[in-house]
Protein backbone atom coordinates (compact mmCIF):
# COMPACT_ATOMS: atom_id res chain seq x y z
CA UNK A 1 0.00 0.00 0.00
CA UNK A 2 1.42 3.37 -0.95
CA UNK A 3 0.86 6.21 1.54
CA UNK A 4 1.86 9.87 1.30
CA UNK A 5 4.14 11.66 3.76
CA UNK A 6 2.34 14.83 4.87
CA UNK A 7 3.35 17.85 6.96
CA UNK A 8 2.14 17.77 10.58
CA UNK A 9 3.25 20.94 12.36
CA UNK A 10 7.06 21.04 12.22
CA UNK A 11 7.17 17.29 11.58
CA UNK A 12 5.97 14.98 8.85
CA UNK A 13 3.83 11.89 9.12
CA UNK A 14 1.67 9.37 7.36
CA UNK A 15 -2.04 8.68 7.61
CA UNK A 16 -3.04 5.11 8.26
CA UNK A 17 -6.37 4.03 6.75
CA UNK A 18 -9.18 3.37 9.24
CA UNK A 19 -9.67 -0.16 7.88
CA UNK A 20 -6.03 -0.98 8.72
CA UNK A 21 -6.28 0.54 12.19
CA UNK A 22 -9.53 -1.32 12.90
CA UNK A 23 -8.13 -4.63 11.66
CA UNK A 24 -5.09 -4.29 13.94
CA UNK A 25 -7.19 -3.02 16.88
CA UNK A 26 -5.11 0.16 17.13
CA UNK A 27 -6.47 2.51 19.81
CA UNK A 28 -4.15 5.46 20.39
CA UNK A 29 -0.62 4.03 20.59
CA UNK A 30 1.75 2.13 18.35
CA UNK A 31 5.25 0.91 19.05
CA UNK A 32 7.76 2.13 16.44
CA UNK A 33 10.98 0.25 15.75
CA UNK A 34 13.56 1.37 13.21
CA UNK A 35 15.14 -1.63 11.48
CA UNK A 36 17.68 -2.04 8.70
CA UNK A 37 14.80 -2.53 6.24
CA UNK A 38 12.58 0.31 7.41
CA UNK A 39 10.10 1.20 10.13
CA UNK A 40 8.07 -1.45 11.94
CA UNK A 41 4.84 -0.29 13.61
CA UNK A 42 3.19 -2.61 16.12
CA UNK A 43 -0.14 -1.92 17.88
CA UNK A 44 0.01 -1.41 21.64
CA UNK A 45 -3.11 -2.92 23.14
CA UNK A 46 -3.22 -1.82 26.76
CA UNK A 47 -6.15 -3.75 28.15
CA UNK A 48 -6.58 -2.79 31.79
CA UNK A 49 -7.04 -5.75 34.11
CA UNK A 50 -6.58 -8.19 31.22
CA UNK A 51 -4.64 -10.68 33.36
CA UNK A 52 -6.59 -10.31 36.59
CA UNK A 53 -8.47 -13.60 36.23
CA UNK A 54 -5.21 -15.56 35.97
CA UNK A 55 -3.69 -13.69 38.91
CA UNK A 56 -6.78 -14.24 41.10
CA UNK A 57 -6.67 -17.94 40.24
CA UNK A 58 -3.00 -18.10 41.33
CA UNK A 59 -3.85 -16.26 44.55
CA UNK A 60 -6.67 -18.70 45.29
CA UNK A 61 -4.47 -21.70 44.52
CA UNK A 62 -1.80 -20.38 46.93
CA UNK A 63 -4.47 -19.40 49.49
CA UNK A 64 -3.31 -15.78 49.24
CA UNK A 65 -6.92 -14.62 48.85
CA UNK A 66 -7.95 -15.55 52.40
CA UNK A 67 -8.53 -12.53 54.63
CA UNK A 68 -7.10 -12.49 58.12
CA UNK A 69 -9.63 -12.71 60.93
CA UNK A 70 -11.18 -9.37 61.68
CA UNK A 71 -11.07 -8.78 65.43
CA UNK A 72 -14.32 -8.16 67.25
CA UNK A 73 -14.37 -4.57 68.50
CA UNK A 74 -14.79 -5.74 72.11
CA UNK A 75 -11.45 -7.61 71.95
CA UNK A 76 -9.37 -4.42 71.97
CA UNK A 77 -9.56 -0.76 72.88
CA UNK A 78 -9.99 1.70 70.02
CA UNK A 79 -7.55 4.61 69.94
CA UNK A 80 -8.73 7.90 68.50
Amino acid sequence: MLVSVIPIGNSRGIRLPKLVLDKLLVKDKMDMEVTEKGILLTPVNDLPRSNWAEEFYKMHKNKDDVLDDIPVSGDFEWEW
Side-chain angles (χ1 to χ4, degrees):
M1 174 183 301
L2 188 62
V3 294
S4 298
V5 178
I6 59 169
I8 301 176
N10 292 332
S11 301
R12 296 181 353 150
I14 61 170
R15 289 190 187 125
L16 302 172
K18 183 177 182 328
L19 290 174
V20 172
L21 296 173
D22 290 347
K23 181 176 181 176
L24 297 175
L25 303 175
V26 174
K27 299 288 184 198
D28 60 350
K29 294 181 187 176
M30 292 190 81
D31 183 49
M32 182 175 75
E33 181 181 345
V34 178
T35 68
E36 291 179 12
K37 293 184 177 185
I39 298 171
L40 175 65
L41 295 173
T42 308
V44 175
N45 296 320
D46 293 330
L47 298 175
R49 300 178 287 278
S50 62
N51 66 339
W52 280 22
E54 296 168 6
E55 294 302 317
F56 284 138
Y57 176 76
K58 287 180 194 174
M59 286 176 62
H60 181 69
K61 189 174 179 181
N62 296 330
K63 296 189 183 348
D64 291 335
D65 61 342
V66 177
L67 295 174
D68 293 332
D69 290 332
I70 300 173
V72 179
S73 61
D75 293 345
F76 62 92
E77 187 65 33
W78 289 96
E79 292 183 29
W80 299 92

